[in-house]
Amino acid sequence: MRARNRSRIAGTLGRAYLAMILLFLYAPILVMAAMSFNASEFYQLPFEFSTTWYERMAGNDAILRAAARSIWIAMVVTAIATALGTASAVALWRYDFWGKRVLQVLLFPPIAIPWLITGTAMLIFFFGVGIGRGTPAVIIGHVALALPYVIVVVTARLATFERVLEEAARSLGASPWLATQAVMLPWIAPGVIAGALFAFAVSFDQFVISYFLSEPGDSTLPVLIYTAIRKGFTPEINAISTIIIAFSMVVMLIAARFTSFGGER
Amino acid sequence: MAEAGHLARTDRLRAAGLLAPAYLWLTVAVFLPLSAMAFFSIITDVPFGDTEWRVTAENYAAFLESPTYARLLWKSVLLGVKVTALCVLIGFPCAWVLAKMIRGRSREALFLLVILPFWSNSLVRIFSWAIVLRGNGVLDKAVNAVWPWNVEVNLLFSEWAIVIGLVHSYLPYVILTAYLALQAIDDSLIEAARSLGAKWWTILWRVVLPLSSSGLIAGAVLVFVPVVGSFMEPRILGGRMGTYYGTVIEDQFVAVFNWPLGAALSFILLAVVLAILAVSAPVLRKART
């Protein structure tokens, strides 16, 4: 009886602790969002509801252009990274060859090395070979960052695929290509979709690489926000930030429907 | 996966065809740039146009001669240690609650809720802390509403602000890796220890920590490495206090335009990072499986 009571107390404490963590994680985001609806330009309280900042943002050409560029870049990056990443994941899963472990280890540098180093290195190299700064450079950089995520997510899905199914298709007379297309691709589709959404999020939220590779006046949304923040805070930044964070959370919630984030299922 | 190294020729071609695009891309976008940076770090001036340049060790000598760079690197490493320690201390109990105390469907939802901010925009989250921590801001008002005496709470542009922002950014990483490690521990092991009369700290120290250490270390490395290289967080939350190793590198590329020095400083940071990754590689490999 005492043990039962004790575990109930522990359970309550545990839940309270979890609630505190969630408060820590979400409170600043909610405060920021609330302030985007506050009339005061200097974040003065008491709170007074207003949509001024959203209206002003909607009339700000620089923000709108940066938003359009960010979304466009993220879509191009998603298409390239998903195609190349899925192909690699399939090859790494299907074939066993010398040097395979090396190839798997090579996926880590883009994730594990601080973006500051990768970003400045890209800037140096792209200048040296004549690509320079600008949208093409940003796309090349983003794809490299997104590729490992796509490969890891699709590989995880492939691990659940029964090779026998493909062999069955082959023995019934399907060509290798048909067996892949009609049996394997439908199976791994959820993994591919999740990988694509990850790639989109990586690109859309990427700041460091874009910062070093963007041309001034031709930047993505996070770079524009960074430049604006350093000049001083305005509720207009809160408004666009609120939209961005809501948007990327929705993208990741959809991705979560297709993958388990490493949890059970 | 039957016979390693004995692929039929067509299979080898197929494998190469599937792998080549992605790895060529990574070569052009990551590996060649890192090599170019190594080259840049040992020359006197950018080799574009007609500029005169020669091979030199000056850029590395600059790091050794002026104590400023080494001091800032140390400051960044200390920042990494503080943030990592806080993330582990705060994150591990949270992962424990998620993995061992909450059951059923609500666990999945709560886990997702904890991980979700990690996948949203990091710059925006840092900005949100600037709004909360500034003087006369929400935290100031909240503290003064509870606290009977009038105090001025203005944490913005202090090291505390940077630490809080970075812990907020990377906490989900530690929770994720610790959660995965804890979930793999069989409950009956803990039950057995408890029924044999072990106190909770004995169970933690002798059963739980040894079994989850690989996941914890993986999480710690994944936090420490980016924090040492951070520059955007110190800039926004640290203001004038926010000069770190990362911000000095940023300056070389966007303000001072001394790329060779920036490359040398970046490369020294890369050496530190690679040393840490190499030391923790066996643990990381274990944590992945």
Side-chain angles (χ1 to χ4, degrees):
Chain A
M1 202 62 207
R2 254 184 69 209
R4 194 127 138 248
N5 258 338
R6 265 227 312 260
S7 86
R8 194 175 308 148
I9 293 169
T12 314
L13 280 177
R15 268 156 225 269
Y17 184 71
L18 197 58
M20 272 167 55
I21 298 281
L22 288 173
L23 184 73
F24 172 69
L25 288 176
Y26 283 91
I29 298 171
L30 294 176
V31 167
M32 181 197 71
M35 284 301 177
S36 70
F37 289 106
N38 188 5
S40 163
E41 189 180 347
F42 304 106
Y43 304 99
Q44 295 290 348
L45 297 169
F47 184 83
E48 194 187 321
F49 183 83
S50 154
T51 53
T52 321
W53 304 110
Y54 286 88
E55 281 155 27
R56 204 180 280 193
M57 185 196 77
N60 187 327
D61 264 350
I63 291 182
L64 295 183
R65 258 184 291 126
R69 189 173 303 115
S70 275
I71 291 174
W72 182 76
I73 288 176
M75 280 160 57
V76 174
V77 168
T78 304
I80 300 173
T82 310
L84 302 191
T86 305
S88 282
V90 168
L92 287 173
W93 169 78
R94 180 179 288 160
Y95 304 109
D96 210 7
F97 50 87
W98 186 88
K100 182 167 150 176
R101 295 229 16 114
V102 178
L103 289 188
Q104 283 168 332
V105 169
L106 282 180
L107 292 176
F108 281 87
I111 302 179
I113 295 177
W115 289 329
L116 171 68
I117 299 176
T118 328
T120 52
M122 283 175 182
L123 174 61
I124 288 174
F125 180 71
F126 293 163
F127 247 99
V129 297
I131 300 172
R133 285 172 156 176
T135 306
V138 172
I139 290 176
I140 294 174
H142 283 193
V143 169
L145 294 191
L147 265 176
Y149 289 99
V150 176
I151 295 178
V152 167
V153 172
V154 175
T155 303
R157 179 71 192 175
L158 272 167
T160 66
F161 179 66
E162 298 281 347
R163 204 175 284 257
V164 191
L165 291 175
E166 212 179 31
E167 278 159 21
R170 290 295 306 279
S171 71
L172 291 171
S175 67
W177 170 237
L178 184 67
T180 303
Q181 196 193 14
V183 182
M184 189 172 77
L185 284 185
W187 180 271
I188 64 169
V192 176
I193 294 170
L197 290 164
F198 271 89
F200 188 91
V202 165
S203 169
F204 186 72
D205 292 330
Q206 176 50 240
F207 160 68
V208 179
I209 302 281
S210 315
Y211 175 59
F212 287 111
L213 297 181
S214 284
E215 205 133 35
D218 186 36
S219 52
T220 64
L221 205 43
V223 179
L224 186 88
I225 291 175
Y226 181 69
T227 326
I229 289 173
R230 294 194 62 187
K231 284 184 197 141
F233 310 154
T234 68
E236 215 177 335
I237 308 176
N238 288 49
I240 184 65
S241 297
T242 304
I243 293 177
I244 289 179
I245 214 145
F247 180 65
S248 49
M249 280 190 175
V250 167
V251 170
M252 288 325 291
L253 276 177
I254 301 172
R257 281 189 55 83
F258 292 99
T259 177
S260 55
F261 274 107
E264 82 260 74
R265 190 176 292 175
Chain B
M1 311 234 170
E3 58 274 88
H6 283 281
L7 283 180
R9 196 151 151 218
T10 48
D11 276 354
R12 215 178 306 160
L13 281 175
R14 270 197 209 114
L18 287 170
L19 288 164
Y23 280 89
L24 274 177
W25 199 292
L26 286 178
T27 306
V28 168
V30 178
F31 302 120
L32 285 179
L34 288 177
S35 321
M37 197 168 70
F39 170 64
F40 253 69
S41 70
I42 53 161
I43 57 177
T44 47
D45 200 356
V46 283
F48 310 140
D50 308 322
T51 47
E52 292 267 321
W53 61 273
R54 60 193 159 73
V55 173
T56 176
E58 269 169 38
N59 301 309
Y60 289 97
F63 178 87
L64 295 173
E65 276 159 18
S66 155
T68 319
Y69 300 120
R71 197 175 52 78
L72 286 173
L73 182 57
W74 181 239
K75 192 181 168 195
S76 286
V77 169
L78 279 184
L79 181 71
V81 171
K82 280 179 209 165
V83 171
T84 308
L86 279 172
C87 280
V88 169
L89 285 177
I90 299 171
F92 186 77
C94 178
W96 173 264
V97 172
L98 272 174
K100 296 295 178 199
M101 295 172 85
I102 290 172
R103 305 258 169 251
R105 284 192 62 80
S106 65
R107 164 155 73 178
E108 214 172 279
L110 285 169
F111 180 67
L112 185 59
L113 214 52
V114 168
I115 297 302
L116 194 57
F118 182 68
W119 280 102
S120 65
N121 198 297
S122 58
L123 174 74
V124 167
R125 287 194 290 144
I126 291 296
F127 171 64
S128 76
W129 274 107
I131 299 296
V132 171
L133 296 175
R134 64 206 296 273
N136 205 14
V138 178
L139 189 68
D140 194 3
K141 287 271 189 308
V143 168
N144 275 308
V146 186
W147 197 249
W149 295 279
N150 192 27
V151 283
E152 200 185 316
V153 183
N154 185 359
L155 285 176
L156 190 60
F157 303 145
S158 70
E159 201 198 348
W160 273 110
I162 303 171
V163 170
I164 292 173
L166 285 168
V167 168
H168 186 250
S169 291
Y170 293 107
L171 184 63
Y173 239 152
V174 176
I175 297 178
L176 174 68
T177 53
Y179 172 79
L180 294 178
L182 287 174
Q183 224 187 14
I185 297 177
D186 195 338
D187 283 347
S188 55
L189 281 175
I190 298 165
E191 272 314 310
R194 192 171 289 151
S195 68
L196 289 170
K199 294 275 186 284
W200 68 267
W201 60 84
T202 316
I203 298 175
L204 178 69
W205 196 249
R206 301 283 298 274
V207 181
V208 174
L209 278 182
L211 286 171
S212 58
S213 61
S214 59
L216 263 184
I217 293 174
V221 170
L222 290 174
V223 174
F224 183 78
V225 167
V227 169
V228 175
S230 61
F231 70 94
M232 169 268 278
E233 296 87 348
R235 279 266 195 252
I236 296 175
L237 296 174
R240 261 192 230 166
M241 294 285 305
T243 307
Y244 282 84
Y245 195 70
T247 60
V248 171
I249 297 178
E250 180 204 3
D251 277 340
Q252 304 308 318
F253 285 94
V254 301
V256 190
F257 296 108
N258 189 346
W259 286 15
L261 177 61
L265 294 177
S266 263
F267 223 68
I268 291 167
L269 178 61
L270 182 62
V272 172
V273 167
L274 288 181
I276 293 162
L277 288 177
V279 168
S280 54
V283 187
L284 287 175
R285 206 170 300 135
K286 214 173 115 199
R288 223 152 38 94
T289 51

